[in-house]
Amino acid sequence: MSYNILINGYVQKGDLVGARKVFDEMSDRNVATWNAMIAGFVQFEFNEEGLELFRFMRVSEFLPDEFCLGSVLRGCAGLRDLSLGQQVHVYVIKCALEGNLVVGCSLAHMYMRCRRLVEGEKVITSFRIRNVIAWNTLIAGYAQNGYSEGVLDLFNLMKKAGLKPDKVTFVSVLSSCSDLATLGQGQQIHAETIKAGAKSVMAVVSSLISLYSKCGCLEDSVKVFTEREGADSVLWSSMITAYGFHGHGEEAIRLFERMKQEELEIGDVTFLSLLYACSHSGLKEKGKEFFAMMTERYGLKPRLEHYTCMVDLLGRFGCLDEAESMIRTMPINPDVIIWKTLLSACKIHNNVDFAKRISEEILKFDPNDASSYVLLANIHASAKKWQDVSELRKAMRDRNVRKEPGISWLELKNQIHQFSKGDKSHSQSTEIDLYLKELIAELKLHGYVPDTSSVLHDMENEEKEYHLTNHSEKLAIAFGLMNVPEGVPIRIMKNLRVCSDCHIVFKFISKIKNREIIVRDASRFHHFKEGRCSCGDYW
């Protein structure tokens, strides 16, 4: 018994080496001993070691109990090992433990982490009684699989069932509000966290910072951060990321300097946030300095995400050769994202030959990657190489590659209004089209000239302008101008990068209509005010 207590003590301190040493020296082990050691490995994400110890336990003819199986299933979830998880599921059924809440929740979590949401939900709905942990497992599964609207529906059902959300619930729900950029609902849930006494929980505070940042309310993110109780390096990193997302790189760096002064733990997540901030603020030399600092001063090994940020930073500055060299010489195998980051830089600088070579690297990973075809076609279109554009479009048709449609949305009175090119399903569609036509005419009187360089068709300028007018973000801004009261910022979200013409239009609107417009695209935030954008046309 005393050995078990000793192992648990080592595990609680995070000393798995010490715990394993005691475990190996024991001549008489029981199930609790195995549970403590397996749970310790899984808790600190040494999942492979935990599962290997489980195999050793079975060979040693010990029968696992519900707590052991719960740890093993969490280990399978951590590794996304569906096959092993299904084998454990079979064993769970043999032991008649499927209805056990500990095992059942871990089983559902495993399926949902392995992208098998339906199987995971079936396990949860089979419970006769669902407690908060069961609801949290289901809500988190929906959040992890990108079903943000479903998360909000489940959250309401949970409360109707008479259960009180806890800190775990709030983190998942706030994350979904961030993804949807539903500011109104996020503010309501913020109020609920205060009533529930969860406002001081670091994970909740971090989620609130992310929520307000992703909804375009940087000032509210700062307010949440300054009113926090206690210090946590993850929280500080979240605030650095928020500054970077909004193009406030200098503020991000100042916050990092304060972290050092307060002797907070600085890890690779902090440096990732810093590099992101430098990339989105045009701080090339600072970014290179921090990249060197993380290895030389802090002994941290850069992950692929750090290299991707550096490629983005170098690429935006036109240092395409240096960025490519970094990809080819880094000690990690590149993925499709880092090559696509470099291809995006080729578009910014209209480097056709470079783009062709980089697109070949991307298509090695996925010959049907639609975004690569579109980016390359955009580069050719900007150079008026219509034959090349035509060949790319034919290749897309032959391979049945479809471009991801642009979608923009905004929240009004707790309702999401979504727009896409050619979609006439909105109740105000006719009024929006008429208003937009009049708006564009008004902008032209003030000097607006449509930027048709991104239109992927060789056609008359009038036709190109028509294509531009129907972009989803223009439909969204027309709806916003028609419905959002004056003096209230218009907040628009888009799933893709905002095009150069829409960026120009928003600057004109902000000045002529005296409106503040906040746009979140796939890259960053743009704050339009008095004819200027916070990005400084650097995106």
Side-chain angles (χ1 to χ4, degrees), residues 328-353:
R328 296 194 185 280
T329 59
M330 65 185 186
I332 308 172
N333 289 328
D335 66 355
V336 70
I337 294 172
I338 197 167
W339 284 115
K340 284 164 77 170
T341 300
L342 184 52
L343 184 61
S344 295
C346 296
K347 182 182 183 299
I348 294 170
H349 301 286
N350 290 320
N351 194 321
V352 178
D353 294 334

PDB file of all heavy atoms in Angstrom, residues 328-353:
ATOM      1  N   ARG A 328      13.657  23.616 -46.979  1.00  0.00           N
ATOM      2  CA  ARG A 328      14.443  22.481 -47.485  1.00  0.00           C
ATOM      3  C   ARG A 328      15.547  22.048 -46.526  1.00  0.00           C
ATOM      4  O   ARG A 328      16.048  20.922 -46.626  1.00  0.00           O
ATOM      5  CB  ARG A 328      15.015  22.829 -48.852  1.00  0.00           C
ATOM      6  CG  ARG A 328      13.929  23.046 -49.923  1.00  0.00           C
ATOM      7  CD  ARG A 328      14.491  23.061 -51.329  1.00  0.00           C
ATOM      8  NE  ARG A 328      13.477  23.392 -52.320  1.00  0.00           N
ATOM      9  CZ  ARG A 328      12.581  22.528 -52.810  1.00  0.00           C
ATOM     10  NH1 ARG A 328      12.571  21.283 -52.368  1.00  0.00           N
ATOM     11  NH2 ARG A 328      11.694  22.907 -53.711  1.00  0.00           N
ATOM     12  N   THR A 329      15.947  22.931 -45.598  1.00  0.00           N
ATOM     13  CA  THR A 329      17.063  22.596 -44.696  1.00  0.00           C
ATOM     14  C   THR A 329      16.624  22.336 -43.258  1.00  0.00           C
ATOM     15  O   THR A 329      17.450  21.903 -42.446  1.00  0.00           O
ATOM     16  CB  THR A 329      18.118  23.728 -44.692  1.00  0.00           C
ATOM     17  OG1 THR A 329      17.499  24.958 -44.270  1.00  0.00           O
ATOM     18  CG2 THR A 329      18.724  23.916 -46.073  1.00  0.00           C
ATOM     19  N   MET A 330      15.362  22.590 -42.928  1.00  0.00           N
ATOM     20  CA  MET A 330      14.925  22.386 -41.537  1.00  0.00           C
ATOM     21  C   MET A 330      14.955  20.893 -41.197  1.00  0.00           C
ATOM     22  O   MET A 330      14.786  20.035 -42.077  1.00  0.00           O
ATOM     23  CB  MET A 330      13.520  22.977 -41.324  1.00  0.00           C
ATOM     24  CG  MET A 330      12.423  22.300 -42.114  1.00  0.00           C
ATOM     25  SD  MET A 330      10.847  23.168 -41.897  1.00  0.00           S
ATOM     26  CE  MET A 330       9.749  22.038 -42.794  1.00  0.00           C
ATOM     27  N   PRO A 331      15.163  20.572 -39.906  1.00  0.00           N
ATOM     28  CA  PRO A 331      15.313  19.162 -39.507  1.00  0.00           C
ATOM     29  C   PRO A 331      13.985  18.420 -39.355  1.00  0.00           C
ATOM     30  O   PRO A 331      13.935  17.353 -38.740  1.00  0.00           O
ATOM     31  CB  PRO A 331      16.023  19.281 -38.153  1.00  0.00           C
ATOM     32  CG  PRO A 331      15.574  20.591 -37.611  1.00  0.00           C
ATOM     33  CD  PRO A 331      15.391  21.501 -38.789  1.00  0.00           C
ATOM     34  N   ILE A 332      12.910  18.972 -39.891  1.00  0.00           N
ATOM     35  CA  ILE A 332      11.576  18.361 -39.814  1.00  0.00           C
ATOM     36  C   ILE A 332      11.053  18.217 -41.232  1.00  0.00           C
ATOM     37  O   ILE A 332      11.290  19.084 -42.080  1.00  0.00           O
ATOM     38  CB  ILE A 332      10.607  19.248 -39.003  1.00  0.00           C
ATOM     39  CG1 ILE A 332      11.204  19.615 -37.649  1.00  0.00           C
ATOM     40  CG2 ILE A 332       9.257  18.574 -38.826  1.00  0.00           C
ATOM     41  CD1 ILE A 332      10.402  20.636 -36.879  1.00  0.00           C
ATOM     42  N   ASN A 333      10.332  17.142 -41.496  1.00  0.00           N
ATOM     43  CA  ASN A 333       9.724  16.986 -42.815  1.00  0.00           C
ATOM     44  C   ASN A 333       8.632  18.039 -43.021  1.00  0.00           C
ATOM     45  O   ASN A 333       7.785  18.224 -42.147  1.00  0.00           O
ATOM     46  CB  ASN A 333       9.116  15.588 -42.968  1.00  0.00           C
ATOM     47  CG  ASN A 333      10.175  14.514 -43.069  1.00  0.00           C
ATOM     48  OD1 ASN A 333      11.269  14.756 -43.593  1.00  0.00           O
ATOM     49  ND2 ASN A 333       9.877  13.332 -42.557  1.00  0.00           N
ATOM     50  N   PRO A 334       8.643  18.737 -44.153  1.00  0.00           N
ATOM     51  CA  PRO A 334       7.615  19.761 -44.392  1.00  0.00           C
ATOM     52  C   PRO A 334       6.248  19.123 -44.613  1.00  0.00           C
ATOM     53  O   PRO A 334       6.150  17.970 -45.021  1.00  0.00           O
ATOM     54  CB  PRO A 334       8.104  20.461 -45.664  1.00  0.00           C
ATOM     55  CG  PRO A 334       8.954  19.454 -46.358  1.00  0.00           C
ATOM     56  CD  PRO A 334       9.588  18.626 -45.280  1.00  0.00           C
ATOM     57  N   ASP A 335       5.204  19.892 -44.308  1.00  0.00           N
ATOM     58  CA  ASP A 335       3.853  19.438 -44.622  1.00  0.00           C
ATOM     59  C   ASP A 335       3.268  20.353 -45.698  1.00  0.00           C
ATOM     60  O   ASP A 335       3.923  21.302 -46.154  1.00  0.00           O
ATOM     61  CB  ASP A 335       2.970  19.409 -43.370  1.00  0.00           C
ATOM     62  CG  ASP A 335       2.722  20.804 -42.790  1.00  0.00           C
ATOM     63  OD1 ASP A 335       3.305  21.783 -43.294  1.00  0.00           O
ATOM     64  OD2 ASP A 335       1.936  20.906 -41.825  1.00  0.00           O
ATOM     65  N   VAL A 336       2.046  20.088 -46.091  1.00  0.00           N
ATOM     66  CA  VAL A 336       1.430  20.850 -47.174  1.00  0.00           C
ATOM     67  C   VAL A 336       1.183  22.297 -46.750  1.00  0.00           C
ATOM     68  O   VAL A 336       1.247  23.217 -47.579  1.00  0.00           O
ATOM     69  CB  VAL A 336       0.119  20.163 -47.627  1.00  0.00           C
ATOM     70  CG1 VAL A 336      -0.967  20.273 -46.561  1.00  0.00           C
ATOM     71  CG2 VAL A 336      -0.380  20.748 -48.949  1.00  0.00           C
ATOM     72  N   ILE A 337       0.949  22.534 -45.465  1.00  0.00           N
ATOM     73  CA  ILE A 337       0.630  23.895 -44.994  1.00  0.00           C
ATOM     74  C   ILE A 337       1.818  24.833 -45.175  1.00  0.00           C
ATOM     75  O   ILE A 337       1.661  25.976 -45.610  1.00  0.00           O
ATOM     76  CB  ILE A 337       0.186  23.853 -43.514  1.00  0.00           C
ATOM     77  CG1 ILE A 337      -1.144  23.105 -43.397  1.00  0.00           C
ATOM     78  CG2 ILE A 337       0.029  25.275 -42.960  1.00  0.00           C
ATOM     79  CD1 ILE A 337      -1.583  22.837 -41.974  1.00  0.00           C
ATOM     80  N   ILE A 338       3.026  24.371 -44.871  1.00  0.00           N
ATOM     81  CA  ILE A 338       4.185  25.256 -44.971  1.00  0.00           C
ATOM     82  C   ILE A 338       4.474  25.615 -46.436  1.00  0.00           C
ATOM     83  O   ILE A 338       4.839  26.744 -46.763  1.00  0.00           O
ATOM     84  CB  ILE A 338       5.419  24.637 -44.266  1.00  0.00           C
ATOM     85  CG1 ILE A 338       6.478  25.715 -44.005  1.00  0.00           C
ATOM     86  CG2 ILE A 338       6.025  23.483 -45.070  1.00  0.00           C
ATOM     87  CD1 ILE A 338       7.577  25.264 -43.055  1.00  0.00           C
ATOM     88  N   TRP A 339       4.240  24.651 -47.363  1.00  0.00           N
ATOM     89  CA  TRP A 339       4.424  24.949 -48.787  1.00  0.00           C
ATOM     90  C   TRP A 339       3.342  25.918 -49.273  1.00  0.00           C
ATOM     91  O   TRP A 339       3.613  26.823 -50.075  1.00  0.00           O
ATOM     92  CB  TRP A 339       4.390  23.663 -49.608  1.00  0.00           C
ATOM     93  CG  TRP A 339       5.642  22.825 -49.519  1.00  0.00           C
ATOM     94  CD1 TRP A 339       5.764  21.589 -48.989  1.00  0.00           C
ATOM     95  CD2 TRP A 339       6.955  23.183 -49.979  1.00  0.00           C
ATOM     96  NE1 TRP A 339       7.062  21.138 -49.077  1.00  0.00           N
ATOM     97  CE2 TRP A 339       7.823  22.104 -49.691  1.00  0.00           C
ATOM     98  CE3 TRP A 339       7.488  24.316 -50.603  1.00  0.00           C
ATOM     99  CZ2 TRP A 339       9.177  22.115 -50.009  1.00  0.00           C
ATOM    100  CZ3 TRP A 339       8.854  24.317 -50.925  1.00  0.00           C
ATOM    101  CH2 TRP A 339       9.670  23.241 -50.627  1.00  0.00           C
ATOM    102  N   LYS A 340       2.115  25.739 -48.788  1.00  0.00           N
ATOM    103  CA  LYS A 340       1.036  26.643 -49.187  1.00  0.00           C
ATOM    104  C   LYS A 340       1.261  28.056 -48.647  1.00  0.00           C
ATOM    105  O   LYS A 340       0.872  29.045 -49.272  1.00  0.00           O
ATOM    106  CB  LYS A 340      -0.315  26.095 -48.707  1.00  0.00           C
ATOM    107  CG  LYS A 340      -0.805  24.934 -49.568  1.00  0.00           C
ATOM    108  CD  LYS A 340      -1.910  24.146 -48.906  1.00  0.00           C
ATOM    109  CE  LYS A 340      -3.227  24.827 -48.961  1.00  0.00           C
ATOM    110  NZ  LYS A 340      -4.321  23.917 -48.512  1.00  0.00           N
ATOM    111  N   THR A 341       1.896  28.133 -47.482  1.00  0.00           N
ATOM    112  CA  THR A 341       2.250  29.446 -46.919  1.00  0.00           C
ATOM    113  C   THR A 341       3.202  30.174 -47.862  1.00  0.00           C
ATOM    114  O   THR A 341       3.050  31.379 -48.116  1.00  0.00           O
ATOM    115  CB  THR A 341       2.896  29.271 -45.532  1.00  0.00           C
ATOM    116  OG1 THR A 341       1.963  28.621 -44.659  1.00  0.00           O
ATOM    117  CG2 THR A 341       3.295  30.609 -44.934  1.00  0.00           C
ATOM    118  N   LEU A 342       4.169  29.437 -48.389  1.00  0.00           N
ATOM    119  CA  LEU A 342       5.122  30.037 -49.325  1.00  0.00           C
ATOM    120  C   LEU A 342       4.440  30.388 -50.651  1.00  0.00           C
ATOM    121  O   LEU A 342       4.733  31.426 -51.263  1.00  0.00           O
ATOM    122  CB  LEU A 342       6.296  29.090 -49.558  1.00  0.00           C
ATOM    123  CG  LEU A 342       7.444  29.606 -50.442  1.00  0.00           C
ATOM    124  CD1 LEU A 342       7.956  30.959 -49.956  1.00  0.00           C
ATOM    125  CD2 LEU A 342       8.586  28.597 -50.474  1.00  0.00           C
ATOM    126  N   LEU A 343       3.521  29.556 -51.088  1.00  0.00           N
ATOM    127  CA  LEU A 343       2.786  29.846 -52.324  1.00  0.00           C
ATOM    128  C   LEU A 343       1.962  31.122 -52.177  1.00  0.00           C
ATOM    129  O   LEU A 343       1.865  31.914 -53.117  1.00  0.00           O
ATOM    130  CB  LEU A 343       1.883  28.665 -52.686  1.00  0.00           C
ATOM    131  CG  LEU A 343       1.117  28.788 -54.008  1.00  0.00           C
ATOM    132  CD1 LEU A 343       2.069  28.922 -55.192  1.00  0.00           C
ATOM    133  CD2 LEU A 343       0.200  27.577 -54.210  1.00  0.00           C
ATOM    134  N   SER A 344       1.373  31.338 -51.011  1.00  0.00           N
ATOM    135  CA  SER A 344       0.617  32.576 -50.754  1.00  0.00           C
ATOM    136  C   SER A 344       1.522  33.794 -50.881  1.00  0.00           C
ATOM    137  O   SER A 344       1.107  34.845 -51.387  1.00  0.00           O
ATOM    138  CB  SER A 344      -0.008  32.539 -49.355  1.00  0.00           C
ATOM    139  OG  SER A 344      -0.972  31.521 -49.264  1.00  0.00           O
ATOM    140  N   ALA A 345       2.763  33.650 -50.430  1.00  0.00           N
ATOM    141  CA  ALA A 345       3.723  34.753 -50.550  1.00  0.00           C
ATOM    142  C   ALA A 345       4.039  35.038 -52.015  1.00  0.00           C
ATOM    143  O   ALA A 345       4.228  36.184 -52.416  1.00  0.00           O
ATOM    144  CB  ALA A 345       5.000  34.420 -49.782  1.00  0.00           C
ATOM    145  N   CYS A 346       4.081  33.971 -52.828  1.00  0.00           N
ATOM    146  CA  CYS A 346       4.310  34.158 -54.266  1.00  0.00           C
ATOM    147  C   CYS A 346       3.197  35.001 -54.881  1.00  0.00           C
ATOM    148  O   CYS A 346       3.435  35.810 -55.782  1.00  0.00           O
ATOM    149  CB  CYS A 346       4.367  32.803 -54.979  1.00  0.00           C
ATOM    150  SG  CYS A 346       5.746  31.754 -54.481  1.00  0.00           S
ATOM    151  N   LYS A 347       1.981  34.817 -54.391  1.00  0.00           N
ATOM    152  CA  LYS A 347       0.847  35.601 -54.896  1.00  0.00           C
ATOM    153  C   LYS A 347       1.009  37.079 -54.530  1.00  0.00           C
ATOM    154  O   LYS A 347       0.753  37.972 -55.339  1.00  0.00           O
ATOM    155  CB  LYS A 347      -0.470  35.065 -54.342  1.00  0.00           C
ATOM    156  CG  LYS A 347      -1.695  35.814 -54.870  1.00  0.00           C
ATOM    157  CD  LYS A 347      -2.968  35.294 -54.263  1.00  0.00           C
ATOM    158  CE  LYS A 347      -4.181  36.010 -54.855  1.00  0.00           C
ATOM    159  NZ  LYS A 347      -4.168  37.452 -54.616  1.00  0.00           N
ATOM    160  N   ILE A 348       1.418  37.318 -53.275  1.00  0.00           N
ATOM    161  CA  ILE A 348       1.606  38.706 -52.827  1.00  0.00           C
ATOM    162  C   ILE A 348       2.588  39.431 -53.733  1.00  0.00           C
ATOM    163  O   ILE A 348       2.394  40.599 -54.085  1.00  0.00           O
ATOM    164  CB  ILE A 348       2.114  38.742 -51.361  1.00  0.00           C
ATOM    165  CG1 ILE A 348       1.038  38.196 -50.409  1.00  0.00           C
ATOM    166  CG2 ILE A 348       2.511  40.162 -50.959  1.00  0.00           C
ATOM    167  CD1 ILE A 348       1.529  37.974 -48.992  1.00  0.00           C
ATOM    168  N   HIS A 349       3.647  38.718 -54.138  1.00  0.00           N
ATOM    169  CA  HIS A 349       4.721  39.344 -54.924  1.00  0.00           C
ATOM    170  C   HIS A 349       4.644  39.016 -56.413  1.00  0.00           C
ATOM    171  O   HIS A 349       5.565  39.356 -57.176  1.00  0.00           O
ATOM    172  CB  HIS A 349       6.082  38.934 -54.348  1.00  0.00           C
ATOM    173  CG  HIS A 349       6.258  39.335 -52.914  1.00  0.00           C
ATOM    174  ND1 HIS A 349       6.490  40.637 -52.537  1.00  0.00           N
ATOM    175  CD2 HIS A 349       6.176  38.605 -51.767  1.00  0.00           C
ATOM    176  CE1 HIS A 349       6.579  40.694 -51.202  1.00  0.00           C
ATOM    177  NE2 HIS A 349       6.395  39.478 -50.725  1.00  0.00           N
ATOM    178  N   ASN A 350       3.533  38.347 -56.826  1.00  0.00           N
ATOM    179  CA  ASN A 350       3.298  38.041 -58.244  1.00  0.00           C
ATOM    180  C   ASN A 350       4.499  37.374 -58.922  1.00  0.00           C
ATOM    181  O   ASN A 350       4.878  37.734 -60.042  1.00  0.00           O
ATOM    182  CB  ASN A 350       2.908  39.316 -59.010  1.00  0.00           C
ATOM    183  CG  ASN A 350       1.527  39.803 -58.630  1.00  0.00           C
ATOM    184  OD1 ASN A 350       0.611  39.004 -58.449  1.00  0.00           O
ATOM    185  ND2 ASN A 350       1.383  41.110 -58.483  1.00  0.00           N
ATOM    186  N   ASN A 351       5.095  36.415 -58.226  1.00  0.00           N
ATOM    187  CA  ASN A 351       6.249  35.692 -58.770  1.00  0.00           C
ATOM    188  C   ASN A 351       5.752  34.385 -59.396  1.00  0.00           C
ATOM    189  O   ASN A 351       5.595  33.365 -58.718  1.00  0.00           O
ATOM    190  CB  ASN A 351       7.281  35.421 -57.677  1.00  0.00           C
ATOM    191  CG  ASN A 351       8.610  34.978 -58.235  1.00  0.00           C
ATOM    192  OD1 ASN A 351       8.670  34.223 -59.205  1.00  0.00           O
ATOM    193  ND2 ASN A 351       9.693  35.448 -57.636  1.00  0.00           N
ATOM    194  N   VAL A 352       5.499  34.423 -60.697  1.00  0.00           N
ATOM    195  CA  VAL A 352       4.865  33.304 -61.396  1.00  0.00           C
ATOM    196  C   VAL A 352       5.766  32.071 -61.425  1.00  0.00           C
ATOM    197  O   VAL A 352       5.326  30.956 -61.110  1.00  0.00           O
ATOM    198  CB  VAL A 352       4.487  33.709 -62.838  1.00  0.00           C
ATOM    199  CG1 VAL A 352       3.868  32.524 -63.585  1.00  0.00           C
ATOM    200  CG2 VAL A 352       3.517  34.872 -62.825  1.00  0.00           C
ATOM    201  N   ASP A 353       7.032  32.245 -61.813  1.00  0.00           N
ATOM    202  CA  ASP A 353       7.933  31.097 -61.952  1.00  0.00           C
ATOM    203  C   ASP A 353       8.144  30.396 -60.615  1.00  0.00           C
ATOM    204  O   ASP A 353       8.139  29.156 -60.532  1.00  0.00           O
ATOM    205  CB  ASP A 353       9.283  31.553 -62.526  1.00  0.00           C
ATOM    206  CG  ASP A 353       9.142  32.055 -63.959  1.00  0.00           C
ATOM    207  OD1 ASP A 353       8.197  31.609 -64.640  1.00  0.00           O
ATOM    208  OD2 ASP A 353       9.953  32.902 -64.390  1.00  0.00           O
TER     209      ASP A 353
END
